[in-house]
Coordinates of all heavy atoms in Angstrom, one line a residue:
M200 N 0.1 -1.2 11.1 CA 0.0 0.0 10.3 C -0.1 -0.3 8.8 O 0.7 -1.0 8.3 CB 1.2 0.9 10.7 CG 1.2 2.2 10.0 SD 2.5 3.1 10.7 CE 3.0 4.1 9.2
V201 N -1.0 0.4 8.1 CA -1.2 0.1 6.7 C -0.1 0.9 6.0 O 0.0 2.2 6.2 CB -2.6 0.5 6.2 CG1 -2.6 0.4 4.8 CG2 -3.6 -0.3 6.9
R202 N 0.7 0.3 5.2 CA 1.6 1.0 4.3 C 1.0 1.0 2.9 O 0.3 0.1 2.5 CB 3.0 0.2 4.3 CG 3.7 0.2 5.5 CD 5.0 -0.5 5.3 NE 4.9 -1.7 4.6 CZ 5.2 -2.9 5.2 NH1 5.6 -3.0 6.4 NH2 5.0 -4.0 4.5
S203 N 1.2 2.1 2.3 CA 0.8 2.1 0.9 C 1.9 1.7 0.0 O 3.0 1.6 0.4 CB 0.3 3.5 0.5 OG 1.4 4.5 0.7
M204 N 1.6 1.5 -1.2 CA 2.6 1.1 -2.2 C 3.6 2.3 -2.3 O 3.2 3.5 -2.1 CB 2.0 0.8 -3.6 CG 1.2 -0.3 -3.6 SD 0.7 -0.9 -5.2 CE -0.2 0.5 -5.8
K205 N 4.8 2.0 -2.6 CA 5.8 3.0 -2.6 C 6.5 3.1 -4.0 O 6.7 1.9 -4.6 CB 6.9 2.8 -1.6 CG 7.9 3.9 -1.6 CD 8.6 4.1 -0.3 CE 9.6 5.3 -0.5 NZ 10.5 5.4 0.6
K206 N 6.8 4.2 -4.5 CA 7.4 4.4 -5.8 C 8.9 4.4 -5.7 O 9.5 5.0 -4.8 CB 7.0 5.7 -6.4 CG 7.5 5.9 -7.9 CD 7.2 7.3 -8.4 CE 5.7 7.6 -8.4 NZ 5.4 9.0 -9.0
Y207 N 9.6 3.6 -6.6 CA 11.0 3.6 -6.6 C 11.4 3.9 -8.1 O 10.8 3.6 -9.0 CB 11.6 2.3 -6.3 CG 11.4 2.0 -4.8 CD1 10.2 1.3 -4.3 CD2 12.4 2.3 -3.9 CE1 10.0 1.0 -3.0 CE2 12.2 2.0 -2.5 CZ 11.0 1.5 -2.1 OH 10.8 1.2 -0.7
I208 N 12.5 4.7 -8.2 CA 13.0 5.2 -9.4 C 14.4 4.7 -9.7 O 15.2 4.7 -8.7 CB 12.9 6.7 -9.6 CG1 11.4 7.1 -9.5 CG2 13.5 7.2 -10.9 CD1 11.2 8.6 -9.4
G209 N 14.8 4.2 -10.8 CA 16.2 3.8 -11.1 C 16.4 3.9 -12.6 O 15.5 4.1 -13.4
K210 N 17.6 3.6 -12.9 CA 18.0 3.5 -14.4 C 17.4 2.3 -15.0 O 17.2 2.3 -16.3 CB 19.5 3.7 -14.5 CG 20.0 5.1 -14.3 CD 21.5 5.2 -14.6 CE 21.9 6.6 -14.3 NZ 23.3 6.9 -14.6
T211 N 17.3 1.2 -14.2 CA 16.7 0.0 -14.8 C 15.8 -0.6 -13.7 O 15.7 -0.1 -12.6 CB 17.8 -1.1 -14.9 OG1 18.4 -1.4 -13.7 CG2 18.9 -0.6 -15.9
V212 N 14.9 -1.4 -14.2 CA 14.0 -2.1 -13.2 C 14.8 -2.8 -12.1 O 14.4 -2.7 -11.0 CB 13.1 -3.1 -14.0 CG1 12.3 -3.9 -12.9 CG2 12.2 -2.4 -15.0
E213 N 15.8 -3.4 -12.4 CA 16.7 -4.1 -11.5 C 17.3 -3.2 -10.5 O 17.3 -3.5 -9.2 CB 17.8 -4.9 -12.2 CG 17.4 -6.0 -12.9 CD 16.8 -5.7 -14.4 OE1 17.1 -4.5 -14.8 OE2 16.1 -6.5 -14.9
A214 N 17.7 -2.0 -10.8 CA 18.2 -1.0 -9.9 C 17.1 -0.5 -9.0 O 17.3 -0.4 -7.7 CB 18.8 0.2 -10.7
A215 N 15.9 -0.2 -9.5 CA 14.9 0.2 -8.7 C 14.4 -0.8 -7.7 O 14.1 -0.6 -6.5 CB 13.7 0.6 -9.5
L216 N 14.4 -2.1 -8.2 CA 14.1 -3.3 -7.3 C 15.1 -3.4 -6.2 O 14.7 -3.7 -5.0 CB 13.9 -4.6 -8.1 CG 12.6 -4.7 -8.9 CD1 12.8 -5.9 -9.8 CD2 11.4 -4.8 -8.0
N217 N 16.3 -3.3 -6.5 CA 17.4 -3.4 -5.5 C 17.2 -2.3 -4.5 O 17.3 -2.6 -3.2 CB 18.8 -3.3 -6.1 CG 19.9 -3.4 -5.2 OD1 19.9 -4.5 -4.5 ND2 20.7 -2.5 -5.0
D218 N 16.9 -1.1 -4.8 CA 16.7 0.0 -3.8 C 15.5 -0.4 -2.9 O 15.5 -0.2 -1.8 CB 16.3 1.3 -4.6 CG 17.5 1.9 -5.3 OD1 18.7 1.4 -5.0 OD2 17.4 2.8 -6.1
A219 N 14.4 -0.9 -3.5 CA 13.3 -1.3 -2.7 C 13.6 -2.4 -1.8 O 13.2 -2.4 -0.6 CB 12.2 -1.8 -3.7
C220 N 14.3 -3.4 -2.2 CA 14.7 -4.5 -1.3 C 15.5 -4.0 -0.2 O 15.3 -4.5 1.0 CB 15.5 -5.6 -2.1 SG 14.5 -6.5 -3.2
V221 N 16.5 -3.1 -0.4 CA 17.4 -2.6 0.6 C 16.5 -1.8 1.7 O 16.6 -2.0 2.8 CB 18.4 -1.8 0.1 CG1 19.2 -1.0 1.1 CG2 19.4 -2.6 -0.7
E222 N 15.6 -0.9 1.1 CA 14.9 0.0 2.0 C 13.8 -0.8 2.8 O 13.6 -0.5 4.0 CB 14.1 1.1 1.2 CG 13.4 2.1 2.1 CD 12.7 3.2 1.3 OE1 13.5 3.8 0.5 OE2 11.5 3.5 1.5
L223 N 13.2 -1.8 2.2 CA 12.2 -2.6 2.9 C 12.7 -3.8 3.7 O 12.0 -4.5 4.3 CB 11.1 -3.2 1.9 CG 10.4 -2.1 1.1 CD1 9.5 -2.7 0.1 CD2 9.5 -1.3 2.0
N224 N 14.1 -4.0 3.6 CA 14.7 -5.2 4.2 C 14.0 -6.5 3.8 O 13.7 -7.2 4.7 CB 14.8 -4.9 5.7 CG 15.7 -5.8 6.3 OD1 16.7 -6.3 5.7 ND2 15.5 -6.2 7.6
R225 N 13.8 -6.5 2.5 CA 13.1 -7.8 1.9 C 13.9 -8.4 0.9 O 14.7 -7.7 0.2 CB 11.7 -7.4 1.4 CG 10.8 -6.8 2.4 CD 10.2 -7.9 3.3 NE 9.2 -7.4 4.1 CZ 8.0 -7.9 4.2 NH1 7.6 -8.8 3.4 NH2 7.1 -7.4 5.1
Q226 N 13.7 -9.7 0.6 CA 14.2 -10.4 -0.5 C 13.4 -10.1 -1.8 O 12.3 -9.8 -1.6 CB 14.3 -11.9 -0.3 CG 15.2 -12.3 0.8 CD 16.7 -12.0 0.6 OE1 17.2 -12.2 -0.5 NE2 17.4 -11.4 1.5
L227 N 14.0 -10.2 -2.9 CA 13.2 -9.9 -4.1 C 12.0 -10.7 -4.3 O 10.9 -10.3 -4.7 CB 14.2 -10.1 -5.4 CG 13.5 -9.8 -6.7 CD1 13.1 -8.3 -6.8 CD2 14.6 -10.1 -7.9
A228 N 12.1 -12.0 -3.8 CA 10.9 -12.9 -3.9 C 9.7 -12.5 -3.0 O 8.6 -12.9 -3.1 CB 11.3 -14.3 -3.6
E229 N 10.0 -11.5 -2.1 CA 9.0 -11.1 -1.1 C 8.2 -10.0 -1.5 O 7.4 -9.5 -0.7 CB 9.7 -10.9 0.3 CG 10.3 -12.1 0.9 CD 11.1 -11.8 2.2 OE1 12.0 -11.0 2.2 OE2 10.6 -12.2 3.3
I230 N 8.6 -9.3 -2.5 CA 8.0 -8.1 -2.9 C 7.3 -8.2 -4.3 O 7.7 -9.2 -5.2 CB 8.9 -6.8 -2.9 CG1 10.0 -7.0 -4.0 CG2 9.4 -6.6 -1.6 CD1 10.8 -5.8 -4.1
N231 N 6.3 -7.4 -4.6 CA 5.6 -7.4 -5.9 C 5.8 -6.0 -6.4 O 5.9 -5.0 -5.7 CB 4.2 -7.7 -5.7 CG 3.9 -9.1 -5.1 OD1 4.1 -10.0 -5.8 ND2 3.5 -9.1 -3.8
Y232 N 5.7 -5.9 -7.7 CA 6.0 -4.6 -8.4 C 5.2 -4.6 -9.7 O 4.9 -5.6 -10.3 CB 7.4 -4.2 -8.5 CG 8.1 -5.0 -9.6 CD1 8.2 -4.4 -10.9 CD2 8.5 -6.3 -9.4 CE1 8.9 -5.1 -11.9 CE2 9.2 -7.0 -10.4 CZ 9.4 -6.4 -11.6 OH 10.0 -7.0 -12.6
Y233 N 5.1 -3.3 -10.2 CA 4.7 -3.1 -11.5 C 5.4 -1.9 -12.1 O 5.7 -1.0 -11.3 CB 3.1 -3.1 -11.8 CG 2.4 -1.9 -11.1 CD1 2.3 -0.7 -11.7 CD2 1.9 -2.1 -9.8 CE1 1.5 0.3 -11.1 CE2 1.3 -1.1 -9.2 CZ 1.1 0.1 -9.9 OH 0.4 1.2 -9.3
V234 N 5.6 -1.8 -13.4 CA 6.3 -0.8 -14.0 C 5.2 0.3 -14.3 O 4.3 0.2 -15.0 CB 7.0 -1.1 -15.2 CG1 7.7 0.1 -15.9 CG2 8.1 -2.2 -15.0
V235 N 5.5 1.5 -13.7 CA 4.7 2.7 -13.9 C 5.0 3.4 -15.2 O 4.2 3.8 -16.0 CB 4.7 3.7 -12.7 CG1 3.9 4.9 -13.0 CG2 4.2 3.1 -11.4
E236 N 6.3 3.6 -15.3 CA 6.9 4.4 -16.5 C 8.3 3.9 -16.8 O 9.1 3.6 -15.9 CB 6.8 5.9 -16.2 CG 7.2 6.8 -17.3 CD 7.1 8.3 -17.0 OE1 7.1 8.5 -15.7 OE2 6.8 9.0 -17.9
E237 N 8.6 3.9 -18.1 CA 9.9 3.5 -18.5 C 10.3 4.5 -19.6 O 9.6 4.5 -20.7 CB 10.0 2.1 -18.9 CG 11.3 1.6 -19.1 CD 11.4 0.1 -19.3 OE1 10.3 -0.6 -19.3 OE2 12.5 -0.4 -19.4
K238 N 11.3 5.3 -19.4 CA 11.7 6.2 -20.4 C 13.2 5.9 -20.8 O 14.0 5.7 -20.0 CB 11.7 7.6 -19.8 CG 10.4 8.2 -19.6 CD 10.5 9.6 -19.1 CE 9.1 10.2 -18.8 NZ 9.2 11.6 -18.4
K239 N 13.4 5.9 -22.2 CA 14.7 5.6 -22.7 C 15.0 6.8 -23.7 O 14.3 7.0 -24.6 CB 14.8 4.3 -23.5 CG 14.6 3.1 -22.6 CD 14.7 1.8 -23.3 CE 14.4 0.7 -22.4 NZ 14.4 -0.5 -23.1
G240 N 16.0 7.6 -23.3 CA 16.5 8.7 -24.1 C 17.8 8.3 -24.7 O 18.4 7.2 -24.4
I241 N 18.3 9.2 -25.5 CA 19.7 9.0 -26.1 C 20.8 8.9 -25.0 O 21.6 8.0 -25.1 CB 20.0 10.1 -27.0 CG1 19.0 10.1 -28.2 CG2 21.5 10.0 -27.6 CD1 19.1 11.3 -29.2
F242 N 20.7 9.7 -24.0 CA 21.7 9.8 -23.0 C 21.3 9.3 -21.6 O 22.0 9.4 -20.7 CB 22.3 11.2 -22.9 CG 23.0 11.6 -24.1 CD1 22.3 12.6 -24.9 CD2 24.1 11.1 -24.6 CE1 22.9 13.0 -26.1 CE2 24.7 11.5 -25.8 CZ 24.1 12.4 -26.5
S243 N 20.0 9.0 -21.5 CA 19.5 8.6 -20.2 C 18.4 7.6 -20.2 O 17.7 7.5 -21.2 CB 19.0 9.8 -19.4 OG 17.8 10.4 -20.0
K244 N 18.3 6.9 -19.1 CA 17.2 5.9 -18.9 C 16.6 6.1 -17.6 O 17.2 6.6 -16.6 CB 17.7 4.5 -19.0 CG 18.1 4.0 -20.3 CD 18.2 2.6 -20.4 CE 19.6 2.0 -19.9 NZ 19.7 0.6 -20.1
K245 N 15.2 5.9 -17.4 CA 14.6 6.1 -16.2 C 13.4 5.1 -16.1 O 12.6 5.0 -17.0 CB 14.0 7.5 -16.0 CG 13.3 7.8 -14.7 CD 12.7 9.2 -14.7 CE 11.6 9.4 -13.8 NZ 11.0 10.6 -13.9
V246 N 13.3 4.4 -15.0 CA 12.2 3.5 -14.7 C 11.6 3.9 -13.4 O 12.3 4.0 -12.4 CB 12.8 2.1 -14.8 CG1 11.6 1.0 -14.4 CG2 13.4 1.7 -16.1
E247 N 10.2 3.9 -13.4 CA 9.5 4.1 -12.1 C 8.7 2.8 -11.9 O 8.0 2.3 -12.8 CB 8.5 5.2 -12.2 CG 9.1 6.5 -12.1 CD 8.1 7.7 -12.1 OE1 6.9 7.4 -11.7 OE2 8.4 8.8 -12.6
I248 N 8.8 2.3 -10.7 CA 8.0 1.1 -10.3 C 7.3 1.4 -9.0 O 7.7 2.2 -8.3 CB 8.9 -0.2 -10.2 CG1 9.9 0.0 -9.0 CG2 9.6 -0.6 -11.4 CD1 10.7 -1.3 -8.7
M249 N 6.2 0.7 -8.8 CA 5.5 0.7 -7.6 C 5.6 -0.7 -6.9 O 5.5 -1.7 -7.6 CB 4.0 0.9 -7.8 CG 3.6 2.3 -8.4 SD 4.1 3.7 -7.3 CE 2.8 3.7 -6.1
V250 N 5.9 -0.6 -5.6 CA 6.3 -1.9 -4.9 C 5.4 -2.0 -3.7 O 5.0 -1.1 -3.0 CB 7.7 -1.7 -4.4 CG1 8.1 -2.9 -3.5 CG2 8.8 -1.7 -5.6
Y251 N 5.0 -3.3 -3.5 CA 4.1 -3.7 -2.4 C 4.4 -5.1 -2.0 O 5.1 -5.8 -2.7 CB 2.6 -3.5 -2.7 CG 2.2 -4.3 -3.8 CD1 1.6 -5.5 -3.7 CD2 2.3 -3.7 -5.1 CE1 1.2 -6.3 -4.7 CE2 1.9 -4.5 -6.3 CZ 1.3 -5.8 -6.1 OH 0.9 -6.5 -7.2
T252 N 4.1 -5.5 -0.8 CA 4.2 -6.8 -0.2 C 2.9 -7.5 -0.1 O 1.9 -6.9 -0.1 CB 5.0 -6.9 1.1 OG1 4.1 -6.3 2.1 CG2 6.3 -6.1 1.1
K253 N 2.9 -8.8 0.1 CA 1.7 -9.6 0.3 C 1.0 -9.1 1.6 O -0.2 -9.0 1.6 CB 2.0 -11.1 0.4 CG 0.9 -12.1 0.6 CD 1.3 -13.5 0.6 CE 1.6 -13.9 2.0 NZ 1.9 -15.2 2.2
E254 N 1.8 -8.9 2.6 CA 1.3 -8.5 3.9 C 0.6 -7.1 3.7 O -0.5 -6.8 4.4 CB 2.4 -8.3 4.9 CG 3.0 -9.6 5.3 CD 4.1 -10.1 4.4 OE1 4.5 -9.4 3.4 OE2 4.5 -11.2 4.6
D255 N 1.0 -6.2 2.8 CA 0.5 -4.9 2.6 C -1.0 -5.2 2.0 O -1.9 -4.5 2.4 CB 1.2 -4.1 1.6 CG 2.5 -3.7 2.2 OD1 2.6 -3.5 3.4 OD2 3.4 -3.3 1.4
V256 N -1.1 -6.1 1.1 CA -2.3 -6.4 0.4 C -3.3 -7.0 1.4 O -4.5 -6.6 1.4 CB -2.1 -7.3 -0.9 CG1 -3.5 -7.7 -1.4 CG2 -1.3 -6.6 -1.9
V257 N -2.9 -7.9 2.2 CA -3.7 -8.6 3.2 C -4.3 -7.6 4.2 O -5.5 -7.5 4.5 CB -3.1 -9.8 3.9 CG1 -3.8 -10.3 5.0 CG2 -2.8 -10.9 2.9
E258 N -3.4 -6.8 4.7 CA -3.8 -5.7 5.6 C -4.8 -4.8 5.0 O -5.8 -4.3 5.6 CB -2.6 -5.0 6.2 CG -2.9 -4.1 7.4 CD -1.7 -3.6 8.1 OE1 -0.6 -4.1 7.8 OE2 -1.9 -2.8 9.0
L259 N -4.5 -4.3 3.8 CA -5.5 -3.3 3.2 C -6.8 -4.0 3.0 O -7.8 -3.4 3.3 CB -4.8 -3.0 1.9 CG -5.7 -2.0 1.0 CD1 -5.9 -0.7 1.7 CD2 -5.1 -1.8 -0.3
L260 N -6.8 -5.3 2.5 CA -8.2 -5.9 2.3 C -9.0 -6.1 3.6 O -10.1 -5.9 3.7 CB -7.9 -7.3 1.6 CG -7.5 -7.2 0.2 CD1 -7.2 -8.6 -0.3 CD2 -8.6 -6.5 -0.7
N261 N -8.2 -6.4 4.7 CA -8.9 -6.5 6.0 C -9.4 -5.2 6.4 O -10.5 -5.1 6.9 CB -7.9 -7.0 7.0 CG -7.6 -8.5 6.9 OD1 -8.4 -9.3 6.4 ND2 -6.4 -8.9 7.4
N262 N -8.7 -4.1 6.2 CA -9.2 -2.8 6.6 C -10.3 -2.4 5.8 O -11.3 -1.8 6.3 CB -8.0 -1.8 6.7 CG -7.1 -1.9 7.8 OD1 -7.5 -2.5 8.9 ND2 -5.9 -1.6 7.6
V263 N -10.3 -2.7 4.6 CA -11.5 -2.3 3.7 C -12.7 -3.0 4.0 O -13.8 -2.5 4.1 CB -11.0 -2.5 2.1 CG1 -12.3 -2.4 1.3 CG2 -10.0 -1.5 1.7
S264 N -12.5 -4.3 4.3 CA -13.7 -5.2 4.8 C -14.3 -4.6 6.1 O -15.5 -4.5 6.1 CB -13.2 -6.6 5.0 OG -12.8 -7.2 3.8
L265 N -13.5 -4.2 7.0 CA -14.0 -3.7 8.3 C -14.7 -2.3 8.0 O -15.8 -2.1 8.5 CB -12.8 -3.4 9.3 CG -12.3 -4.6 9.9 CD1 -11.0 -4.3 10.7 CD2 -13.3 -5.2 10.9
Y266 N -14.2 -1.6 7.2 CA -14.8 -0.3 6.8 C -16.1 -0.4 6.1 O -17.0 0.3 6.5 CB -13.8 0.6 5.9 CG -14.4 1.9 5.6 CD1 -14.5 2.9 6.7 CD2 -14.7 2.2 4.4 CE1 -15.1 4.1 6.4 CE2 -15.2 3.5 4.0 CZ -15.4 4.4 5.1 OH -15.9 5.7 4.8
E267 N -16.1 -1.4 5.2 CA -17.4 -1.6 4.5 C -18.5 -2.2 5.4 O -19.6 -1.8 5.3 CB -17.2 -2.5 3.3 CG -16.4 -1.9 2.2 CD -17.1 -0.6 1.6 OE1 -18.4 -0.6 1.4 OE2 -16.4 0.3 1.4
E268 N -18.1 -3.0 6.3 CA -19.1 -3.5 7.4 C -19.6 -2.4 8.2 O -20.8 -2.3 8.5 CB -18.4 -4.6 8.3 CG -18.2 -5.9 7.6 CD -17.6 -6.9 8.5 OE1 -17.7 -6.8 9.8 OE2 -16.8 -7.7 8.0
L269 N -18.7 -1.5 8.6 CA -19.1 -0.3 9.4 C -20.1 0.6 8.6 O -21.1 1.0 9.2 CB -17.8 0.5 9.7 CG -18.0 1.8 10.5 CD1 -18.5 1.5 11.9 CD2 -16.7 2.5 10.5
R270 N -19.8 0.8 7.3 CA -20.7 1.6 6.5 C -22.1 1.1 6.3 O -23.1 1.8 6.2 CB -20.1 1.9 5.2 CG -18.9 2.8 5.2 CD -18.4 3.1 3.8 NE -19.6 3.5 3.0 CZ -19.4 3.8 1.7 NH1 -18.2 3.7 1.2 NH2 -20.4 4.1 0.9
M271 N -22.3 -0.3 6.4 CA -23.5 -0.9 6.2 C -24.4 -0.8 7.5 O -25.6 -1.1 7.5 CB -23.4 -2.3 5.7 CG -22.8 -2.4 4.4 SD -22.9 -4.1 3.7 CE -21.7 -4.9 4.8
C272 N -23.8 -0.5 8.6 CA -24.6 -0.5 9.9 C -25.5 0.8 9.9 O -25.2 1.8 9.3 CB -23.6 -0.4 11.1 SG -22.6 -2.0 11.2
N273 N -26.5 0.7 10.8 CA -27.3 1.8 10.9 C -26.6 2.9 11.8 O -25.6 2.7 12.4 CB -28.7 1.5 11.5 CG -28.6 1.0 13.0 OD1 -27.8 1.5 13.7 ND2 -29.4 0.0 13.3
D274 N -27.1 4.1 11.8 CA -26.4 5.2 12.4 C -26.0 5.1 13.8 O -24.9 5.3 14.2 CB -27.3 6.6 12.2 CG -27.3 7.0 10.8 OD1 -26.4 6.6 10.0 OD2 -28.1 7.9 10.4
G275 N -26.9 4.7 14.7 CA -26.5 4.5 16.1 C -25.5 3.5 16.3 O -24.5 3.7 17.0
F276 N -25.7 2.4 15.7 CA -24.7 1.3 15.8 C -23.4 1.6 15.1 O -22.3 1.4 15.5 CB -25.2 0.0 15.2 CG -24.6 -1.2 15.6 CD1 -24.3 -1.6 16.9 CD2 -24.1 -2.1 14.5 CE1 -23.6 -2.8 17.2 CE2 -23.4 -3.3 14.9 CZ -23.1 -3.6 16.1
H277 N -23.6 2.4 14.0 CA -22.5 2.9 13.2 C -21.5 3.7 14.1 O -20.3 3.6 14.1 CB -23.0 3.8 12.1 CG -21.9 4.4 11.3 ND1 -21.5 5.6 11.5 CD2 -21.4 4.0 10.1 CE1 -20.6 6.0 10.6 NE2 -20.5 5.0 9.7
D278 N -22.0 4.6 14.9 CA -21.2 5.5 15.8 C -20.4 4.7 16.8 O -19.3 5.0 17.1 CB -22.0 6.5 16.5 CG -22.6 7.6 15.5 OD1 -22.0 7.7 14.4 OD2 -23.6 8.2 15.9
V279 N -21.0 3.6 17.4 CA -20.3 2.8 18.3 C -19.2 2.0 17.6 O -18.1 2.0 18.1 CB -21.4 1.8 19.0 CG1 -20.6 0.8 19.9 CG2 -22.4 2.5 19.8
L280 N -19.5 1.4 16.5 CA -18.5 0.7 15.8 C -17.4 1.6 15.3 O -16.2 1.3 15.3 CB -19.1 -0.1 14.6 CG -19.9 -1.3 14.9 CD1 -20.5 -2.0 13.6 CD2 -19.0 -2.3 15.6
K281 N -17.7 2.7 14.9 CA -16.7 3.7 14.3 C -15.8 4.1 15.4 O -14.6 4.0 15.3 CB -17.5 4.9 13.9 CG -16.6 5.9 13.2 CD -17.5 7.1 12.6 CE -16.7 8.1 12.1 NZ -17.6 9.2 11.5
T282 N -16.3 4.3 16.7 CA -15.4 4.6 17.8 C -14.5 3.4 18.1 O -13.3 3.6 18.4 CB -16.2 5.0 19.0 OG1 -17.1 6.1 18.7 CG2 -15.4 5.3 20.2
L283 N -15.0 2.3 18.2 CA -14.3 1.1 18.5 C -13.2 0.8 17.4 O -12.0 0.5 17.8 CB -15.2 -0.2 18.6 CG -16.1 -0.2 19.8 CD1 -17.0 -1.3 19.7 CD2 -15.3 -0.3 21.2
L284 N -13.6 1.0 16.2 CA -12.5 0.7 15.1 C -11.5 1.8 15.1 O -10.3 1.5 14.8 CB -13.3 0.7 13.8 CG -14.0 -0.6 13.5 CD1 -14.9 -0.5 12.2 CD2 -13.1 -1.8 13.4
K285 N -11.9 3.0 15.4 CA -10.8 4.1 15.5 C -9.8 3.8 16.5 O -8.6 4.1 16.3 CB -11.4 5.5 15.7 CG -12.0 6.2 14.4 CD -12.5 7.5 14.8 CE -12.9 8.3 13.6 NZ -13.3 9.6 13.8
E286 N -10.3 3.2 17.7 CA -9.4 2.9 18.7 C -8.4 1.7 18.3 O -7.2 1.7 18.6 CB -10.1 2.4 20.0 CG -10.8 3.6 20.6 CD -11.7 3.1 21.8 OE1 -11.7 2.0 22.1 OE2 -12.4 4.0 22.3
K287 N -9.0 0.8 17.6 CA -8.2 -0.4 17.2 C -7.4 -0.2 15.9 O -6.2 -0.6 15.8 CB -9.1 -1.6 17.0 CG -8.4 -2.9 16.6 CD -9.3 -4.1 16.7 CE -8.5 -5.3 16.4 NZ -9.3 -6.5 16.4
Y288 N -7.8 0.6 15.0 CA -7.2 0.9 13.7 C -7.1 2.5 13.5 O -7.8 3.1 12.7 CB -7.9 0.3 12.6 CG -8.0 -1.1 12.7 CD1 -9.2 -1.7 13.1 CD2 -6.9 -2.0 12.4 CE1 -9.2 -3.1 13.2 CE2 -7.0 -3.4 12.4 CZ -8.2 -3.9 12.9 OH -8.2 -5.3 13.0
P289 N -6.2 3.2 14.4 CA -6.2 4.7 14.2 C -5.8 5.1 12.9 O -6.0 6.3 12.5 CB -5.2 5.0 15.3 CG -4.4 3.8 15.6 CD -5.3 2.6 15.3
E290 N -5.1 4.3 12.1 CA -4.7 4.8 10.8 C -5.8 4.8 9.8 O -5.7 5.4 8.6 CB -3.5 3.9 10.2 CG -4.0 2.5 9.9 CD -4.0 1.5 11.1 OE1 -3.8 1.8 12.2 OE2 -4.2 0.3 10.8
L291 N -6.9 4.2 10.1 CA -8.1 4.3 9.1 C -8.7 5.7 9.2 O -9.0 6.2 10.3 CB -9.1 3.2 9.4 CG -8.7 1.9 9.2 CD1 -9.8 1.0 9.6 CD2 -8.4 1.6 7.7
D292 N -9.1 6.2 8.1 CA -9.8 7.5 8.0 C -11.3 7.2 7.7 O -11.7 7.1 6.5 CB -9.2 8.5 7.1 CG -9.9 9.9 7.0 OD1 -10.8 10.1 7.9 OD2 -9.6 10.7 6.2
M293 N -12.1 7.0 8.7 CA -13.5 6.6 8.5 C -14.5 7.8 8.4 O -15.7 7.6 8.3 CB -13.9 5.8 9.6 CG -13.1 4.4 9.5 SD -13.6 3.3 10.9 CE -12.7 3.9 12.2
D294 N -13.9 9.0 8.3 CA -14.8 10.2 8.2 C -15.0 10.6 6.7 O -15.7 11.5 6.4 CB -14.2 11.3 9.0 CG -14.1 11.1 10.4 OD1 -15.1 10.4 11.0 OD2 -13.2 11.4 11.1
K295 N -14.5 9.8 5.8 CA -14.7 10.1 4.4 C -16.0 9.6 3.9 O -16.6 8.7 4.4 CB -13.6 9.5 3.6 CG -12.2 10.2 3.8 CD -11.2 9.6 2.9 CE -9.9 10.4 3.1 NZ -8.9 9.9 2.2

C-alpha cells in the first residue's frame, strides 16, 4: 500500500521527529524529513516537518512507472492493462 508523506508538528524538529519515529515504529536513521515551516514567537515555537521512508519512495516510483507505461499503450491494450493493474494495485487511481 502506498503511504504518502505525513506531516508532524512539534515545538522542535527533534520533538516532531520523535513523534514520527514512535508512530511509524522506526529508528531515526530509517526516516527522511524536511522542514515545512518553523515559527518562533515570544512565547511559543512550532515546527512542521514532512516525513517519509526509503520504502515509500521506492514504492511510489514503481507505481508511477507502471502508470506511465499504462498511459503510453494504445486504447484497447490500455483497457486490459488498466484492469490488470487495478487488480494488482487497487490503491492506484488510474482514472485521472
Side-chain angles (χ1 to χ4, degrees):
M200 183 173 143
V201 177
R202 294 185 307 247
S203 58
M204 294 191 302
K205 182 159 182 191
K206 184 188 304 183
Y207 292 89
I208 300 172
K210 290 186 177 185
T211 63
V212 171
E213 292 78 17
L216 285 171
N217 184 58
D218 291 345
C220 288
V221 169
E222 184 175 309
L223 298 172
N224 195 27
R225 300 285 184 121
Q226 297 294 316
L227 183 57
E229 297 176 294
I230 63 173
N231 300 287
Y232 74 96
Y233 64 91
V234 176
V235 175
E236 184 176 28
E237 192 167 2
K238 291 183 180 180
K239 293 181 183 178
I241 296 174
F242 299 107
S243 65
K244 291 196 276 184
K245 176 184 163 189
V246 175
E247 283 184 29
I248 61 172
M249 293 298 283
V250 174
Y251 58 95
T252 66
K253 181 178 88 172
E254 293 82 8
D255 294 333
V256 173
V257 169
E258 188 169 352
L259 179 63
L260 290 174
N261 285 335
N262 286 332
V263 168
S264 294
L265 286 170
Y266 181 68
E267 288 304 315
E268 287 178 31
L269 177 67
R270 286 184 49 183
M271 291 188 297
C272 295
N273 66 39
D274 288 342
F276 194 54
H277 176 271
D278 291 338
V279 172
L280 283 176
K281 187 174 173 181
T282 301
L283 291 172
L284 286 173
K285 275 187 176 181
E286 290 173 6
K287 186 170 183 179
Y288 301 100
E290 67 274 9
L291 291 177
D292 183 5
M293 292 178 281
D294 293 322
K295 290 184 178 180

